Amino acid sequence: MNSSIIRYILGNVIKIEAVLLFFPCIISLIYKEDEGIFYLIVSIIMLILGNLMTYKKPKNNVFYLKEGCITTALSWILLSFFGCLPFVLTKEIPSFTDALFETISGFTTTGASILSDVEALSHCSLFWRSFTHWIGGMGVLVFLLAIVPLSGGSNMNLMRAESPGPSVGKLVPKIRYTARILYLIYLGMTIIEFIFLVAGHMPIFDALATSLGTAGTGGFGIKNDSMGSYSPYIQWVVTIFMILFGVNFNAYYLMLFDNIKKALSIEEVRYYFIIIAVAILIIFCEILDTTTGAFESLTQASFQVASIITTTGYATVDFNLWSQSSKTILVMLMFIGACAGSTGGGIKVSRFITTAKTMIKELNSYIHPKSVKKIKMDGKPIEHYVVRATNVYFITFILLFAVSIFAISFDDNDLITNFTAVAATINNIGPGLEMVGPTQNFSIFSPLSKYVLMFDMLAGRLELFPLLILFYPAVWKELFNRKRHAR
């Protein structure tokens, strides 16, 4: 195992976060807040540590998927550890466990909070919470790939470990340029949303924080009622952009550089919009009698469906009070999630399409035992390893989900609370139902349960296996054997 390149990449990740911590310092200067000094202190410490870790460049830049997974998992843990320190030092979140929970929730774009009074935070801390969504949405390692040269195969292994979805493809021949294109599209869409929000008379700071949270499909609100106090125009802008950020970014590349018709023909994207339309229609009919009119019902239904399926987690109403059928639809959307290759979480639409087609193929084999039929997506055969990986993912997901529910059940909360808390964290959504509903928070859980839910947030964002591999003994055995032989 190439431990030197792991150390080198982790050092670069720490340096990147150190630079990003300067942004809340700037916000603190604008609003004349003392809390910014703590962000600066943490940033300087990280710059020193990052430079020490990258001072000696590795002789061998090549590494494989296992190194990519380990590097990715450790990067996200380090990001969260250092990212939570300003909350602790400013004493705005004095408990380290709570601060770590909030930060992991931010970087994994979950949006689950332990805070009961968000508006009590300083502007720089509110900005940092939302900014962690934007950083984690596309992935800090994708950004790293755009600026740090590595060997070609190594780039793909790193990108595969961090990118959401069952498979990762290149937009252009070089992965480095693919990473740059992804970030340019990401940044461009964020700026466009910001402009639309400001045009709707949303305060500049609010528009900035909301744009960052929407782009990363994170959902940390800067108001205690999330998005409920904003105008219908602003709610519709956020709704549209939540849906757009849940689309596979490959579609945007095709729209910009290739063929719009080809982009619109992507099967996953079509099903994604169909699911959204059907869910909105059903919930709209369900809540029509409880609102002041059809427009309000459509606004609420559209916003919440977009928020849940894209795993953003913003809220305009307490959907915990909706009918059982409406809440059931939202819970189903929690698991479906957005498209692969987007900033959204969940299991992903493409995996459900693949599983459904596999099931149909299996049923067909009972009727026509000798038939040989390939499963296809967008007219192309799905490789066997993708089908196998999808099946293994579902099995692992169910096992981890069940173990997590059991682990937090000792807090003696009701089953719906526990079930939706795990669903909301492992799918990177934020709010659940009952005691973790949109008007509640996750402070009710014990420290042990919070660490279980933190693990779920990281596992969900990293597609399970890059985090789980850290607990695989053979990996560390190989690492220590290499070090022993090196001596």
Side-chain angles (χ1 to χ4, degrees):
M1 185 178 293
N2 193 346
S3 57
S4 60
I5 190 65
I6 294 174
R7 180 258 309 159
Y8 184 73
I9 293 174
L10 292 178
N12 276 295
V13 168
I14 289 173
K15 288 197 290 185
I16 289 172
E17 186 176 19
V19 173
L20 295 174
L21 279 166
F22 280 113
F23 286 93
C25 295
I26 295 171
I27 298 295
S28 71
L29 288 174
I30 294 171
Y31 288 95
K32 299 178 181 178
E33 296 171 336
D34 296 332
E35 288 81 2
I37 189 66
F38 296 102
Y39 286 88
L40 183 61
I41 290 170
V42 174
S43 176
I44 292 171
I45 292 171
M46 292 181 70
L47 277 175
I48 294 170
L49 178 62
N51 279 305
L52 288 173
M53 292 175 69
T54 57
Y55 178 74
K56 185 179 179 181
K57 291 186 178 180
K59 296 178 181 178
N60 181 11
N61 279 350
V62 178
F63 63 101
Y64 301 99
L65 185 57
K66 59 187 174 184
E67 286 98 339
C69 290
I70 291 169
T71 303
T72 300
L74 292 177
S75 293
W76 283 73
I77 292 170
L78 284 175
L79 277 172
S80 301
F81 173 79
F82 286 108
C84 82
L85 294 181
F87 290 133
V88 179
L89 295 174
T90 59
K91 296 183 179 179
E92 292 182 289
I93 308 179
S95 165
F96 174 79
T97 297
D98 286 349
L100 185 62
F101 184 98
E102 198 79 7
T103 309
I104 289 177
S105 181
F107 279 120
T108 58
T109 72
T110 304
S113 180
I114 47 81
L115 297 171
S116 56
D117 186 9
V118 174
E119 295 177 35
L121 294 180
S122 60
H123 286 86
C124 60
S125 291
L126 284 173
F127 172 82
W128 179 240
R129 285 172 82 243
S130 298
F131 196 32
T132 56
H133 283 332
W134 197 85
I135 297 166
M138 186 59 68
V140 69
L141 291 176
V142 175
F143 178 72
L144 182 67
L145 289 176
I147 58 175
V148 177
L150 295 171
S151 300
S154 301
N155 282 329
M156 178 56 82
N157 286 324
L158 201 60
M159 198 164 185
R160 280 181 63 191
E162 187 178 52
S163 298
S167 62
V168 177
K170 301 178 184 179
L171 300 180
V172 290
K174 290 190 176 181
I175 284 290
R176 194 175 181 185
Y177 296 142
T178 295
R180 289 177 180 177
I181 290 169
L182 287 172
Y183 254 98
L184 285 173
I185 295 172
Y186 189 47
L187 177 62
M189 290 175 65
T190 307
I191 293 171
I192 292 169
E193 183 188 359
F194 173 78
I195 293 169
F196 273 103
L197 291 175
V198 172
H201 306 292
M202 194 180 200
I204 290 177
F205 179 80
D206 295 30
L208 177 61
T210 303
S211 299
L212 294 173
T214 307
T217 59
F220 270 152
I222 60 172
K223 302 290 184 184
N224 290 331
D225 66 351
S226 189
M227 298 295 297
S229 58
Y230 293 110
S231 68
Y233 167 83
I234 289 172
Q235 291 177 10
W236 273 106
V237 169
V238 174
T239 298
I240 292 167
F241 276 92
M242 283 191 293
I243 294 172
L244 292 177
F245 279 108
V247 172
N248 191 322
F249 273 57
N250 286 3
Y252 297 128
Y253 174 81
L254 292 173
M255 287 181 182
L256 291 171
F257 303 105
D258 197 343
N259 191 316
I260 294 178
K261 187 177 179 181
K262 190 176 178 181
L264 296 175
S265 67
I266 297 176
E267 195 170 346
E268 182 186 28
V269 176
R270 289 204 314 271
Y271 278 107
Y272 170 69
F273 281 107
I274 289 170
I275 292 168
I276 289 173
V278 172
I280 290 173
L281 179 61
I282 296 172
I283 293 177
F284 167 76
C285 295
E286 285 280 328
I287 67 173
L288 190 57
D289 294 336
T290 65
T291 57
T292 57
F295 180 73
E296 185 181 352
S297 296
L298 184 61
T299 301
Q300 291 181 9
S302 300
F303 189 95
Q304 292 311 146
V305 167
S307 180
I308 297 300
I309 194 170
T310 61
T311 71
T312 306
Y314 285 135
T316 54
V317 293
D318 185 3
F319 53 78
N320 203 32
L321 302 175
W322 284 358
S323 65
Q324 293 299 323
S325 56
S326 294
K327 289 191 287 187
T328 301
I329 289 170
L330 293 181
V331 171
M332 291 170 67
L333 295 178
M334 286 182 183
F335 290 95
I336 294 171
C339 297
S342 70
T343 61
I347 293 174
K348 305 295 182 299
V349 174
S350 60
R351 283 197 178 98
F352 279 98
I353 296 172
T354 302
T355 303
K357 290 186 175 185
T358 303
M359 183 180 67
I360 292 169
K361 179 188 176 184
E362 189 66 20
L363 289 172
N364 188 64
S365 68
Y366 278 85
I367 301 169
H368 306 288
K370 295 183 179 180
S371 67
V372 179
K373 190 176 181 181
K374 282 274 188 180
I375 302 171
K376 294 184 177 182
M377 182 90 76
D378 299 321
K380 299 177 182 178
I382 300 175
E383 297 293 337
H384 175 71
Y385 79 88
V386 175
V387 177
R388 181 187 61 81
T390 300
N391 295 336
V392 173
Y393 180 91
F394 270 106
I395 294 169
T396 309
F397 183 93
I398 292 168
L399 287 173
L400 182 58
F401 192 89
V403 170
S404 298
I405 291 177
F406 177 73
I408 69 172
S409 66
F410 294 100
D411 284 359
D412 207 26
N413 296 314
D414 64 274
L415 182 58
I416 294 177
T417 296
N418 290 339
F419 184 92
T420 57
V422 174
T425 49
I426 199 171
N427 291 309
N428 305 131
I429 294 161
L433 297 174
E434 299 299 338
M435 297 174 70
V436 290
T439 60
Q440 307 295 324
N441 59 66
F442 284 70
S443 62
I444 61 168
F445 291 104
S446 66
L448 178 60
S449 292
K450 287 174 183 174
Y451 279 102
V452 171
L453 296 174
M454 281 186 247
F455 179 89
D456 287 343
M457 286 189 274
L458 286 168
R461 174 58 183 84
L462 299 180
E463 303 280 298
L464 306 184
F465 295 102
L467 185 64
L468 291 176
I469 201 172
L470 289 180
F471 300 89
Y472 192 54
V475 170
W476 299 106
K477 186 178 179 180
E478 181 181 344
L479 179 61
F480 291 133
N481 285 341
R482 286 287 178 89
K483 285 187 175 181
R484 193 179 294 116
H485 290 314
R487 290 172 185 171

PDB file of all heavy atoms in Angstrom, residues 109-112 217-219 307-308 310-314 330-331 333-335 346 423-432:
ATOM      1  N   THR A 109     -23.529  16.976   3.648  1.00  0.00           N
ATOM      2  CA  THR A 109     -24.732  17.627   3.101  1.00  0.00           C
ATOM      3  C   THR A 109     -26.004  16.990   3.654  1.00  0.00           C
ATOM      4  O   THR A 109     -27.009  16.882   2.965  1.00  0.00           O
ATOM      5  CB  THR A 109     -24.760  17.592   1.553  1.00  0.00           C
ATOM      6  OG1 THR A 109     -25.017  16.273   1.091  1.00  0.00           O
ATOM      7  CG2 THR A 109     -23.462  18.110   0.955  1.00  0.00           C
ATOM      8  N   THR A 110     -25.949  16.584   4.926  1.00  0.00           N
ATOM      9  CA  THR A 110     -27.117  15.977   5.566  1.00  0.00           C
ATOM     10  C   THR A 110     -28.081  17.044   6.063  1.00  0.00           C
ATOM     11  O   THR A 110     -29.277  17.001   5.783  1.00  0.00           O
ATOM     12  CB  THR A 110     -26.685  15.060   6.726  1.00  0.00           C
ATOM     13  OG1 THR A 110     -25.774  14.084   6.233  1.00  0.00           O
ATOM     14  CG2 THR A 110     -27.885  14.366   7.339  1.00  0.00           C
ATOM     15  N   GLY A 111     -27.567  18.010   6.822  1.00  0.00           N
ATOM     16  CA  GLY A 111     -28.428  19.078   7.312  1.00  0.00           C
ATOM     17  C   GLY A 111     -29.152  18.756   8.597  1.00  0.00           C
ATOM     18  O   GLY A 111     -30.010  19.521   9.044  1.00  0.00           O
ATOM     19  N   ALA A 112     -28.841  17.614   9.231  1.00  0.00           N
ATOM     20  CA  ALA A 112     -29.405  17.286  10.538  1.00  0.00           C
ATOM     21  C   ALA A 112     -28.677  18.119  11.589  1.00  0.00           C
ATOM     22  O   ALA A 112     -27.449  18.133  11.614  1.00  0.00           O
ATOM     23  CB  ALA A 112     -29.252  15.799  10.829  1.00  0.00           C
ATOM     24  N   THR A 217     -27.083  20.576  -1.786  1.00  0.00           N
ATOM     25  CA  THR A 217     -28.275  19.835  -1.331  1.00  0.00           C
ATOM     26  C   THR A 217     -28.109  19.457   0.134  1.00  0.00           C
ATOM     27  O   THR A 217     -28.273  18.299   0.529  1.00  0.00           O
ATOM     28  CB  THR A 217     -28.552  18.577  -2.199  1.00  0.00           C
ATOM     29  OG1 THR A 217     -27.430  17.706  -2.166  1.00  0.00           O
ATOM     30  CG2 THR A 217     -28.874  18.957  -3.624  1.00  0.00           C
ATOM     31  N   GLY A 218     -27.757  20.488   0.938  1.00  0.00           N
ATOM     32  CA  GLY A 218     -27.490  20.260   2.362  1.00  0.00           C
ATOM     33  C   GLY A 218     -28.658  20.594   3.268  1.00  0.00           C
ATOM     34  O   GLY A 218     -29.148  19.751   4.004  1.00  0.00           O
ATOM     35  N   GLY A 219     -29.118  21.846   3.225  1.00  0.00           N
ATOM     36  CA  GLY A 219     -30.326  22.182   3.966  1.00  0.00           C
ATOM     37  C   GLY A 219     -30.159  22.843   5.311  1.00  0.00           C
ATOM     38  O   GLY A 219     -31.138  22.989   6.043  1.00  0.00           O
ATOM     39  N   SER A 307     -37.185  18.957  -1.803  1.00  0.00           N
ATOM     40  CA  SER A 307     -36.256  18.970  -0.676  1.00  0.00           C
ATOM     41  C   SER A 307     -35.890  17.563  -0.219  1.00  0.00           C
ATOM     42  O   SER A 307     -34.730  17.279   0.085  1.00  0.00           O
ATOM     43  CB  SER A 307     -36.865  19.752   0.492  1.00  0.00           C
ATOM     44  OG  SER A 307     -35.982  19.786   1.594  1.00  0.00           O
ATOM     45  N   ILE A 308     -36.882  16.665  -0.201  1.00  0.00           N
ATOM     46  CA  ILE A 308     -36.631  15.313   0.300  1.00  0.00           C
ATOM     47  C   ILE A 308     -35.950  14.426  -0.737  1.00  0.00           C
ATOM     48  O   ILE A 308     -34.972  13.741  -0.438  1.00  0.00           O
ATOM     49  CB  ILE A 308     -37.948  14.661   0.779  1.00  0.00           C
ATOM     50  CG1 ILE A 308     -38.533  15.438   1.961  1.00  0.00           C
ATOM     51  CG2 ILE A 308     -37.710  13.206   1.182  1.00  0.00           C
ATOM     52  CD1 ILE A 308     -37.634  15.504   3.181  1.00  0.00           C
ATOM     53  N   THR A 310     -34.094  15.230  -3.241  1.00  0.00           N
ATOM     54  CA  THR A 310     -32.721  15.669  -3.488  1.00  0.00           C
ATOM     55  C   THR A 310     -31.887  15.616  -2.213  1.00  0.00           C
ATOM     56  O   THR A 310     -30.709  15.941  -2.240  1.00  0.00           O
ATOM     57  CB  THR A 310     -32.689  17.103  -4.049  1.00  0.00           C
ATOM     58  OG1 THR A 310     -33.268  18.001  -3.088  1.00  0.00           O
ATOM     59  CG2 THR A 310     -33.454  17.202  -5.356  1.00  0.00           C
ATOM     60  N   THR A 311     -32.529  15.226  -1.120  1.00  0.00           N
ATOM     61  CA  THR A 311     -31.914  15.115   0.212  1.00  0.00           C
ATOM     62  C   THR A 311     -31.359  16.451   0.701  1.00  0.00           C
ATOM     63  O   THR A 311     -30.356  16.486   1.415  1.00  0.00           O
ATOM     64  CB  THR A 311     -30.804  14.035   0.244  1.00  0.00           C
ATOM     65  OG1 THR A 311     -29.659  14.481  -0.494  1.00  0.00           O
ATOM     66  CG2 THR A 311     -31.307  12.721  -0.323  1.00  0.00           C
ATOM     67  N   THR A 312     -32.005  17.551   0.300  1.00  0.00           N
ATOM     68  CA  THR A 312     -31.570  18.867   0.761  1.00  0.00           C
ATOM     69  C   THR A 312     -31.995  19.099   2.203  1.00  0.00           C
ATOM     70  O   THR A 312     -31.181  19.450   3.061  1.00  0.00           O
ATOM     71  CB  THR A 312     -32.134  19.982  -0.137  1.00  0.00           C
ATOM     72  OG1 THR A 312     -31.781  19.701  -1.492  1.00  0.00           O
ATOM     73  CG2 THR A 312     -31.565  21.340   0.262  1.00  0.00           C
ATOM     74  N   GLY A 313     -33.279  18.925   2.489  1.00  0.00           N
ATOM     75  CA  GLY A 313     -33.722  18.999   3.876  1.00  0.00           C
ATOM     76  C   GLY A 313     -34.283  20.330   4.328  1.00  0.00           C
ATOM     77  O   GLY A 313     -34.627  20.484   5.506  1.00  0.00           O
ATOM     78  N   TYR A 314     -34.372  21.326   3.440  1.00  0.00           N
ATOM     79  CA  TYR A 314     -35.063  22.558   3.812  1.00  0.00           C
ATOM     80  C   TYR A 314     -36.541  22.243   4.053  1.00  0.00           C
ATOM     81  O   TYR A 314     -37.074  21.257   3.540  1.00  0.00           O
ATOM     82  CB  TYR A 314     -34.966  23.600   2.689  1.00  0.00           C
ATOM     83  CG  TYR A 314     -33.626  24.278   2.546  1.00  0.00           C
ATOM     84  CD1 TYR A 314     -33.045  24.453   1.287  1.00  0.00           C
ATOM     85  CD2 TYR A 314     -32.943  24.771   3.651  1.00  0.00           C
ATOM     86  CE1 TYR A 314     -31.832  25.092   1.135  1.00  0.00           C
ATOM     87  CE2 TYR A 314     -31.725  25.405   3.513  1.00  0.00           C
ATOM     88  CZ  TYR A 314     -31.174  25.570   2.257  1.00  0.00           C
ATOM     89  OH  TYR A 314     -29.961  26.197   2.112  1.00  0.00           O
ATOM     90  N   LEU A 330     -42.998  10.769   1.361  1.00  0.00           N
ATOM     91  CA  LEU A 330     -41.744  11.463   1.681  1.00  0.00           C
ATOM     92  C   LEU A 330     -40.685  10.483   2.182  1.00  0.00           C
ATOM     93  O   LEU A 330     -39.501  10.607   1.828  1.00  0.00           O
ATOM     94  CB  LEU A 330     -41.997  12.556   2.726  1.00  0.00           C
ATOM     95  CG  LEU A 330     -42.846  13.748   2.279  1.00  0.00           C
ATOM     96  CD1 LEU A 330     -42.989  14.754   3.415  1.00  0.00           C
ATOM     97  CD2 LEU A 330     -42.245  14.434   1.052  1.00  0.00           C
ATOM     98  N   VAL A 331     -41.079   9.516   2.998  1.00  0.00           N
ATOM     99  CA  VAL A 331     -40.130   8.517   3.491  1.00  0.00           C
ATOM    100  C   VAL A 331     -39.592   7.681   2.330  1.00  0.00           C
ATOM    101  O   VAL A 331     -38.385   7.372   2.262  1.00  0.00           O
ATOM    102  CB  VAL A 331     -40.784   7.606   4.554  1.00  0.00           C
ATOM    103  CG1 VAL A 331     -39.861   6.433   4.901  1.00  0.00           C
ATOM    104  CG2 VAL A 331     -41.101   8.403   5.815  1.00  0.00           C
ATOM    105  N   LEU A 333     -39.289   8.697  -0.745  1.00  0.00           N
ATOM    106  CA  LEU A 333     -38.380   9.579  -1.484  1.00  0.00           C
ATOM    107  C   LEU A 333     -37.031   9.696  -0.791  1.00  0.00           C
ATOM    108  O   LEU A 333     -35.998   9.880  -1.449  1.00  0.00           O
ATOM    109  CB  LEU A 333     -39.002  10.972  -1.653  1.00  0.00           C
ATOM    110  CG  LEU A 333     -40.270  11.067  -2.504  1.00  0.00           C
ATOM    111  CD1 LEU A 333     -40.783  12.503  -2.527  1.00  0.00           C
ATOM    112  CD2 LEU A 333     -40.018  10.572  -3.925  1.00  0.00           C
ATOM    113  N   MET A 334     -37.019   9.581   0.557  1.00  0.00           N
ATOM    114  CA  MET A 334     -35.762   9.621   1.306  1.00  0.00           C
ATOM    115  C   MET A 334     -34.805   8.549   0.814  1.00  0.00           C
ATOM    116  O   MET A 334     -33.601   8.775   0.678  1.00  0.00           O
ATOM    117  CB  MET A 334     -36.022   9.397   2.804  1.00  0.00           C
ATOM    118  CG  MET A 334     -36.647  10.547   3.545  1.00  0.00           C
ATOM    119  SD  MET A 334     -36.829  10.104   5.299  1.00  0.00           S
ATOM    120  CE  MET A 334     -37.656  11.575   5.927  1.00  0.00           C
ATOM    121  N   PHE A 335     -35.342   7.366   0.552  1.00  0.00           N
ATOM    122  CA  PHE A 335     -34.507   6.246   0.132  1.00  0.00           C
ATOM    123  C   PHE A 335     -34.156   6.321  -1.348  1.00  0.00           C
ATOM    124  O   PHE A 335     -33.042   5.951  -1.737  1.00  0.00           O
ATOM    125  CB  PHE A 335     -35.217   4.922   0.437  1.00  0.00           C
ATOM    126  CG  PHE A 335     -35.298   4.614   1.904  1.00  0.00           C
ATOM    127  CD1 PHE A 335     -36.418   4.950   2.640  1.00  0.00           C
ATOM    128  CD2 PHE A 335     -34.240   4.005   2.554  1.00  0.00           C
ATOM    129  CE1 PHE A 335     -36.490   4.678   3.997  1.00  0.00           C
ATOM    130  CE2 PHE A 335     -34.299   3.722   3.916  1.00  0.00           C
ATOM    131  CZ  PHE A 335     -35.428   4.063   4.633  1.00  0.00           C
ATOM    132  N   GLY A 346     -29.088   9.768  -0.867  1.00  0.00           N
ATOM    133  CA  GLY A 346     -30.016   8.671  -1.092  1.00  0.00           C
ATOM    134  C   GLY A 346     -29.370   7.515  -1.825  1.00  0.00           C
ATOM    135  O   GLY A 346     -28.176   7.534  -2.151  1.00  0.00           O
ATOM    136  N   ALA A 423     -32.798   6.903   8.623  1.00  0.00           N
ATOM    137  CA  ALA A 423     -33.071   7.153   7.195  1.00  0.00           C
ATOM    138  C   ALA A 423     -32.579   8.536   6.783  1.00  0.00           C
ATOM    139  O   ALA A 423     -32.017   8.714   5.698  1.00  0.00           O
ATOM    140  CB  ALA A 423     -34.561   7.019   6.912  1.00  0.00           C
ATOM    141  N   ALA A 424     -32.791   9.522   7.651  1.00  0.00           N
ATOM    142  CA  ALA A 424     -32.413  10.904   7.342  1.00  0.00           C
ATOM    143  C   ALA A 424     -30.907  11.103   7.347  1.00  0.00           C
ATOM    144  O   ALA A 424     -30.383  11.945   6.615  1.00  0.00           O
ATOM    145  CB  ALA A 424     -33.064  11.861   8.337  1.00  0.00           C
ATOM    146  N   THR A 425     -30.187  10.330   8.157  1.00  0.00           N
ATOM    147  CA  THR A 425     -28.735  10.500   8.227  1.00  0.00           C
ATOM    148  C   THR A 425     -27.999   9.651   7.194  1.00  0.00           C
ATOM    149  O   THR A 425     -27.098  10.140   6.515  1.00  0.00           O
ATOM    150  CB  THR A 425     -28.216  10.167   9.643  1.00  0.00           C
ATOM    151  OG1 THR A 425     -28.743   8.904  10.068  1.00  0.00           O
ATOM    152  CG2 THR A 425     -28.625  11.237  10.633  1.00  0.00           C
ATOM    153  N   ILE A 426     -28.386   8.397   7.043  1.00  0.00           N
ATOM    154  CA  ILE A 426     -27.681   7.537   6.091  1.00  0.00           C
ATOM    155  C   ILE A 426     -27.971   7.945   4.648  1.00  0.00           C
ATOM    156  O   ILE A 426     -27.171   7.716   3.746  1.00  0.00           O
ATOM    157  CB  ILE A 426     -28.058   6.054   6.324  1.00  0.00           C
ATOM    158  CG1 ILE A 426     -27.004   5.136   5.685  1.00  0.00           C
ATOM    159  CG2 ILE A 426     -29.449   5.729   5.794  1.00  0.00           C
ATOM    160  CD1 ILE A 426     -27.162   3.685   6.047  1.00  0.00           C
ATOM    161  N   ASN A 427     -29.127   8.593   4.428  1.00  0.00           N
ATOM    162  CA  ASN A 427     -29.458   9.104   3.094  1.00  0.00           C
ATOM    163  C   ASN A 427     -29.105  10.583   2.939  1.00  0.00           C
ATOM    164  O   ASN A 427     -29.408  11.193   1.910  1.00  0.00           O
ATOM    165  CB  ASN A 427     -30.938   8.900   2.795  1.00  0.00           C
ATOM    166  CG  ASN A 427     -31.300   7.444   2.617  1.00  0.00           C
ATOM    167  OD1 ASN A 427     -30.668   6.736   1.844  1.00  0.00           O
ATOM    168  ND2 ASN A 427     -32.312   6.967   3.339  1.00  0.00           N
ATOM    169  N   ASN A 428     -28.497  11.169   3.992  1.00  0.00           N
ATOM    170  CA  ASN A 428     -28.034  12.565   3.960  1.00  0.00           C
ATOM    171  C   ASN A 428     -29.157  13.559   3.685  1.00  0.00           C
ATOM    172  O   ASN A 428     -29.029  14.452   2.837  1.00  0.00           O
ATOM    173  CB  ASN A 428     -26.913  12.740   2.927  1.00  0.00           C
ATOM    174  CG  ASN A 428     -25.756  11.792   3.147  1.00  0.00           C
ATOM    175  OD1 ASN A 428     -25.303  11.126   2.227  1.00  0.00           O
ATOM    176  ND2 ASN A 428     -25.269  11.699   4.360  1.00  0.00           N
ATOM    177  N   ILE A 429     -30.260  13.417   4.413  1.00  0.00           N
ATOM    178  CA  ILE A 429     -31.424  14.278   4.183  1.00  0.00           C
ATOM    179  C   ILE A 429     -31.523  15.401   5.215  1.00  0.00           C
ATOM    180  O   ILE A 429     -31.575  16.569   4.879  1.00  0.00           O
ATOM    181  CB  ILE A 429     -32.715  13.433   4.198  1.00  0.00           C
ATOM    182  CG1 ILE A 429     -32.713  12.473   3.022  1.00  0.00           C
ATOM    183  CG2 ILE A 429     -33.964  14.313   4.122  1.00  0.00           C
ATOM    184  CD1 ILE A 429     -33.657  11.319   3.173  1.00  0.00           C
ATOM    185  N   GLY A 430     -31.551  15.041   6.495  1.00  0.00           N
ATOM    186  CA  GLY A 430     -31.687  16.048   7.554  1.00  0.00           C
ATOM    187  C   GLY A 430     -32.871  15.759   8.443  1.00  0.00           C
ATOM    188  O   GLY A 430     -32.758  15.019   9.420  1.00  0.00           O
ATOM    189  N   PRO A 431     -34.032  16.310   8.132  1.00  0.00           N
ATOM    190  CA  PRO A 431     -35.188  16.073   8.997  1.00  0.00           C
ATOM    191  C   PRO A 431     -35.830  14.718   8.761  1.00  0.00           C
ATOM    192  O   PRO A 431     -35.799  14.185   7.649  1.00  0.00           O
ATOM    193  CB  PRO A 431     -36.150  17.199   8.594  1.00  0.00           C
ATOM    194  CG  PRO A 431     -35.826  17.479   7.167  1.00  0.00           C
ATOM    195  CD  PRO A 431     -34.343  17.256   7.046  1.00  0.00           C
ATOM    196  N   GLY A 432     -36.402  14.161   9.844  1.00  0.00           N
ATOM    197  CA  GLY A 432     -37.171  12.928   9.741  1.00  0.00           C
ATOM    198  C   GLY A 432     -38.602  13.199  10.152  1.00  0.00           C
ATOM    199  O   GLY A 432     -39.188  14.210   9.751  1.00  0.00           O
TER     200      GLY A 432
END
